[in-house]
Amino acid sequence: MSPISPTPHGQSPLRTVQVLGGGNAGSSAHVRSLAAGLVARGVRVTVCAPAEADHAYGFTATGADHAHVPRSSDPASVAALRAACTDADLVHAHGLHASFRAVLALSGRTTPLVVTWHNHAYAEGARAHLVRLLERRVVKAAAVVLGTSSDLVDRARRTGARDARLAAVGLPGRRPVPGAEEPERPRPKLRAELGSTGRPLLVAVGSLDRHRGYDVLLDAARAWRRLVPPPLLVVAGEGPLRAPLQGRVEREELPVRLVGRRDDVGELLAAADLALLPGGREARSVLAQEALHARVPLVAVDTPGIRELVGDAAELVREADAAALAAAVVRLLGDPARRGELRDNAARQAATWPTEDETVAQVLSVYDELTQPRPLV
């Protein structure tokens, strides 16, 4: 970790407000990591997020303050955010809806706004038009837009951002070393608990909501259930699609278990033969990063953000193509040499990703640009 920058005599420490909406796993983990790094460098940090997000991710445990701000954009929520941003030197919002709330809260103020886009905002019909309006409003108000993938940066520029940059976003955790001994696998006890003794174990992780590709995943499961023995697919996560997905599993007698939200995702991945990512909403998918860190062969949907993230360390398949997903799983299960190649590629690819320290350093350099007084010419 780089040393804490000394505060000039008579100058108060930099105060930043980090604004988070509901927060998916990636953006929430990033904000926690960022808060910890900033506090360690002498920056005062307030995280504005729903109370449940603080309970889940422990922002205050990093030394940051927490202000409960509901994820809605109603006047009361905007007023709470505006109060939290009083006397802030800079506000940093994460995600489109959190960014829009920050724009509303900072109306009439000169506080610099930094925005990070972590994923693509999906919408259809009239809502798609609303999303485009929100994006334009946000990028015009932001001093800097950070995108977690090149296509998000391009989108911000096309939308009118005056300054859009590729963000360094390090996933909290140890960086794997190419050539290091592979983690011990499988985990017989956990596999037995899940019901995968003597059969391949496939793992998918993520909230059970639209655009995650779980319908496609269950379609693919129909194909590989004919294998002997049929692999078991374990899906970790909760969300509004839990009931309809469970109904499909039971009606079609699919070799699938929905195990709900888990706090042992790392252990699940370490026990798995393959990790599956059927949807590409997140530009820097947490599952993809964790799978590569754990050197678990990954089959993922082919989107620009995922392709940029994983390089040649995953089998990529067309989006919404259940047949291609099923075929890739079957092919990999029957090809141990290819699985070994993907594990080696995973270690090399993950070693190229930014560390948490590098992530904080980039963000601090942006903050310095926007808050340090410029010399007179």
Side-chain angles (χ1 to χ4, degrees):
M1 181 177 288
S2 58
I4 298 174
S5 301
T7 301
H9 179 69
Q11 182 175 323
S12 299
L14 181 71
R15 177 172 181 262
T16 73
V17 172
Q18 306 290 321
V19 184
L20 188 67
N24 60 36
S27 59
S28 298
H30 171 64
V31 169
R32 189 192 192 282
S33 172
L34 187 58
L38 292 173
V39 168
R41 289 161 174 80
V43 178
R44 294 170 57 205
V45 178
T46 298
V47 178
C48 293
E52 58 267 25
D54 184 47
H55 295 154
Y57 291 93
F59 303 123
T60 51
T62 69
D65 294 324
H66 170 255
H68 170 62
V69 177
R71 61 173 55 92
S72 67
S73 297
D74 61 38
S77 298
V78 172
L81 180 56
R82 185 174 178 84
C85 293
T86 300
D87 298 328
D89 296 297
L90 181 142
V91 174
H92 189 166
H94 301 264
L96 176 60
H97 296 287
S99 301
F100 179 65
R101 285 196 293 279
V103 170
L104 296 178
L106 294 176
S107 177
R109 294 180 179 176
T110 59
T111 311
L113 173 64
V114 176
V115 166
T116 296
W117 282 0
H118 293 267
N119 52 39
H120 296 270
Y122 287 95
E124 300 171 350
R127 184 168 173 77
H129 178 66
L130 175 60
V131 165
R132 289 193 295 271
L133 291 176
L134 294 182
E135 288 178 338
R136 285 197 290 271
R137 177 79 179 273
V138 165
V139 300
K140 288 180 180 179
V144 175
V145 178
L146 299 173
T148 58
S149 64
S150 297
D151 59 319
L152 283 173
V153 174
D154 291 341
R155 183 182 182 95
R157 288 172 178 160
R158 290 194 306 269
T159 307
R162 47 187 149 161
D163 187 342
R165 312 178 193 182
L166 185 64
V169 179
L171 182 73
R174 179 178 61 84
R175 171 183 281 184
V177 178
E181 184 177 349
E182 184 180 345
E184 181 184 354
R185 71 180 73 244
R187 305 286 180 88
K189 182 179 179 182
L190 181 55
R191 289 175 70 108
E193 291 173 355
L194 295 169
S196 68
T197 300
R199 63 196 296 199
L201 176 62
L202 317 176
V203 170
V205 181
S207 58
L208 306 183
D209 54 24
R210 297 182 64 194
H211 312 298
R212 295 281 184 171
Y214 288 115
D215 283 340
V216 174
L217 189 56
L218 295 193
D219 290 342
R222 283 206 303 263
W224 66 59
R225 69 181 174 181
R226 294 190 291 270
L227 297 178
V228 180
L232 174 66
L233 169 63
V234 170
V235 179
E238 281 293 353
L241 294 185
R242 174 66 183 262
L245 291 174
Q246 184 63 49
R248 275 199 64 185
V249 169
E250 295 171 0
R251 286 193 307 274
E252 300 173 29
E253 298 182 342
L254 299 176
V256 177
R257 284 194 62 190
L258 307 182
V259 296
R261 188 175 289 109
R262 303 275 296 213
D263 58 7
D264 61 347
V265 169
E267 287 77 7
L268 282 177
L269 285 171
D273 296 287
L274 300 177
L276 307 182
L277 179 64
R281 183 174 183 178
E282 292 177 86
R284 293 187 68 87
S285 162
V286 173
L287 173 65
Q289 292 178 78
E290 290 183 338
L292 267 60
H293 272 293
R295 297 176 68 181
V296 179
L298 172 69
V299 180
V301 64
D302 187 1
T303 65
I306 295 298
R307 195 182 317 124
E308 182 178 36
L309 178 67
V310 304
D312 63 355
E315 289 283 336
L316 300 180
V317 298
R318 291 184 301 274
E319 194 167 11
D321 190 334
L325 177 58
V329 168
V330 173
R331 185 169 61 251
L332 277 179
L333 289 177
D335 190 347
R338 175 59 176 158
R339 296 200 303 273
E341 180 184 3
L342 287 176
R343 291 188 184 109
D344 291 341
N345 292 350
R348 285 193 293 271
Q349 180 69 13
T352 69
W353 294 337
T355 63
E356 290 179 86
D357 192 60
E358 291 165 344
T359 300
V360 175
Q362 185 208 36
V363 167
L364 267 178
S365 71
V366 173
Y367 292 178
D368 284 344
E369 287 179 36
L370 299 176
T371 60
Q372 295 300 316
R374 291 173 172 77
L376 296 175
V377 178

